[in-house]
């Protein structure tokens, strides 16, 4: 085997954590596959619906104490957790690669980001305030309190489990909720480690519980009446099933879904910077990032030079062993995903697209893993299947435009509305176009830098609703109680 193998002695083993116990899950035995080599990293028992029920009971039991804990104490625990995550980043880093083929280089940033989230939202834990209203009915005293839901269920995808889970857990815990977290079975290790670190930080047992599994476990969470709110990060198809299931219990569902984010490159842009950032849409998270800019719209006068830059730069991106320090892009998650991506690329070609670079599965030393190189398709019709749908692989589609008006129309002509990236040196145009984007995350001359815990993150249209990050992220996990007190005798 050409690539390094995961070191099995570093893998955490507890896939189900309920209160302070780590029972063997009641589900089937599962063999996790390392996407870079196709080998099994470890086998463990999945959780099942009865584990979900026990996890919810543990969270409900822990809730009164957690809710009653004063904000300063919750803050201190979250700060302690942040410090411990940083201290144990070396334990976490390889797991992020083993679980889904992420590059080793990204690992330390992922731990730093998780720590930042607990610090940012820990800072809110001691600042939860209500407000008083001069109500019309009176004389009366009227006030508003922001209350936790009780138990929050977090369902996250395999492409960035640590990133996604901490986006939910940090604000949910700060607001005084307990959590039942579902790790995806095909990328479970970083969350198993996170829950271990949470325990070591001194969180009371039951405040965070872990179940690991697939759709059946998620469905059991959505259907459980003891969970007050579900926050879901994943695909639109699954979101539809979750919403249908949630109609039984009427519980609120937060949705962070997929995207087909537009990148608008105007002729006045710094073209090299725009090409480098454009390429990030294929490279980031091995092309499997929800908010990656994957639909490139380029002003016709710079269209061919821009494509040439993409092609040249793609040649410098080392695709290969995620555990090698100089690797910039790793594999996609599975053989099935690779087949799906390749068939979308073939469909694009049949619809008239020109292959600028990539397109074929990598062979040779890559052959046991699930590798596709950066793939750039030019002259893509905005109406074609590949222009309209999320590929979730290292594939960029490029289409020319002739005017600002046309660029805005093309960018907004999508069911999705997660990200939009505008490249221009014209400040007025930057603002003007940003304010016309039907997307939750708009960046001018950027490519992902803005995803810090202090800003609201989320989508419009089919990319979901609700926001994680910022004060909006805290509000996602609070419900409002209004209290009216009669001041008349
Ligand atoms: P997915 O929808 O297949 O699965 C997401 C999670 O839902 C998994 O944990 C899965 O086990 C669970 N699940 C599946 N069926 C379920 C059901 N019926 N009930 C309850 N839970 C169920 O998505 P995926 O393939 O894991 O992830 C890729 C998708 O996630 C892409 O569309 C990507 O854009 C999106 N995503 C969005 C964000 C965001 O913040 N907007 C972040 C990361 C990924």
């Amino acid at each position: 085997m050409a690539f390094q193998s995961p070191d099995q002695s570093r893998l955490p083993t507890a896939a189900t954590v309920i209160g302070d116990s780590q029972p063997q899950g009641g589900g089937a035995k599962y063999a996790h596959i390392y996407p870079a080599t196709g080998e099994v990293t470890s086998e463990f028992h999945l959780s099942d619906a009865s584990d979900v029920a026990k996890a919810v009971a543990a969270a409900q039991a822990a809730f009164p104490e957690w809710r009653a804990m004063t904000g300063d104490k919750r803050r201190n625990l979250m700060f302690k957790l942040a410090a411990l995550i940083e201290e144990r980043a070396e334990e976490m880093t390889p797991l992020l690669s083993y679980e889904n083929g992420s590059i080793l280089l990204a690992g330390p940033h992922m731990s730093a980001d998780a720590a930042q989230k607990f610090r940012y939202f820990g800072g809110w834990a001691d600042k939860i305030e209500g407000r008083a209203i001069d109500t019309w009915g009176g004389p009366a005293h009227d006030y508003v309190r922001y209350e936790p839901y009780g138990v929050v269920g977090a369902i996250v995808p395999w492409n960035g489990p640590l990133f996604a889970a901490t986006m939910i857990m940090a604000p949910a815990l700060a607001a005084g909720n307990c959590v039942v977290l579902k790790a995806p079975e095909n990328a479970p290790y970083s969350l198993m480690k996170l829950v271990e670190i949470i325990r070591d930080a001194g969180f009371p047992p039951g405040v965070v519980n872990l179940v690991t599994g697939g759709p059946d476990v998620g469905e059991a969470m959505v259907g459980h009446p003891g969970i007050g709110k579900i926050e879901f990060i994943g695909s639109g198809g699954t979101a539809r099933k979750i919403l249908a299931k949630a109609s039984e219990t009427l519980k609120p569902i937060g949705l962070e879904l997929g995207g087909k984010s537009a990148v608008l490159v105007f002729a006045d842009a710094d073209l090299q910077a725009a090409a480098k950032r454009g390429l990030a849409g294929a490279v980031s998270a091995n092309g499997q990032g929800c908010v990656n800019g994957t639909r490139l719209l380029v002003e016709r006068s710079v269209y061919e030079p821009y494509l040439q830059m993409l092609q040249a730069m793609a040649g410098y991106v080392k695709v290969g062993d995620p555990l090698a320090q100089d690797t910039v892009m790793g594999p996609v998650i599975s053989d099935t995903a690779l087949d799906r991506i390749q068939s979308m690329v073939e469909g694009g070609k049949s619809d008239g697209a020109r292959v600028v670079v990539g397109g074929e599965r990598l062979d040779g030393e890559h052959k046991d893993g699930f590798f596709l190189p950066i793939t750039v398709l030019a002259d893509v019709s905005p109406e074609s299947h590949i222009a309209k749908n999320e590929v979730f692989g290292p594939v960029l589609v490029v289409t020319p435009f002739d005017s600002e008006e046309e660029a805005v129309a093309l960018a907004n002509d999508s069911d999705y509305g997660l990200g939009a990236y505008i490249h221009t040196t014209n400040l007025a145009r930057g603002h003007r176009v940003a304010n016309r984007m039907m997307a939750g995350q708009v960046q001018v001359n950027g490519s992902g830098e803005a995803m810090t815990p202090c800003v609201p993150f989320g989508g419009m249209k089919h990319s979901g609703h609700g926001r994680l990050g910022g004060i909006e992220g805290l509000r996602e996990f609070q419900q409002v109680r209004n209290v009216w007190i009669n001041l008349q005798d």
Side-chain angles (χ1 to χ4, degrees), residues 65-81 122 125-127 173-174 201-204:
E65 185 194 332
W66 183 244
R67 176 197 200 162
M69 188 183 279
T70 52
D72 60 328
K73 293 207 175 71
R74 268 209 309 276
R75 174 203 66 201
N76 290 348
L77 256 180
M78 291 179 72
F79 283 4
K80 194 165 162 204
L81 172 60
D126 63 355
K127 296 172 194 68
L173 292 169
F203 276 64

Side-chain angles (χ1 to χ4, degrees), residues 154-161 163-164 167 182-186 213-222 230 232-242 245 255-260 288-291 333 340 390 392 416 418 451 457-459 463-464 468:
I155 302 178
V156 298
W158 51 261
N159 66 325
F163 189 88
M167 264 170 117
K182 186 183 91 59
E185 76 283 33
N186 51 351
D216 58 319
V217 179
E219 213 175 292
M221 289 168 67
V222 177
I230 292 279
F232 171 72
I233 305 184
S235 65
T238 303
R240 285 188 179 87
K241 291 182 194 156
I242 288 179
K245 179 81 183 161
L255 297 177
E256 296 281 344
L257 309 177
K260 188 79 186 177
Q288 304 160 117
C290 57
V291 75
I333 188 71
R340 193 203 66 244
E390 187 179 39
F392 227 52
Y416 293 109
L418 195 52
M451 278 193 69
F457 177 81
S463 292
L468 299 173

Side-chain angles (χ1 to χ4, degrees), residues 87-104:
E87 223 175 282
R88 292 170 66 173
E90 271 186 38
E91 289 171 45
M92 184 65 90
T93 290
L95 303 181
L96 292 158
S97 297
Y98 300 165
E99 67 184 3
N100 64 7
S102 296
I103 54 166
L104 201 68

Side-chain angles (χ1 to χ4, degrees), residues 26 108 121 221 226 234 250 252 254 284 294 304 344 366 413 419 431 433 452 474:
F121 282 105
M221 289 168 67
L250 295 177
S284 177
T294 52
E304 288 302 334
M344 287 185 80
H366 299 84
D413 182 20
H431 281 291
V433 175
T452 53
L474 186 73

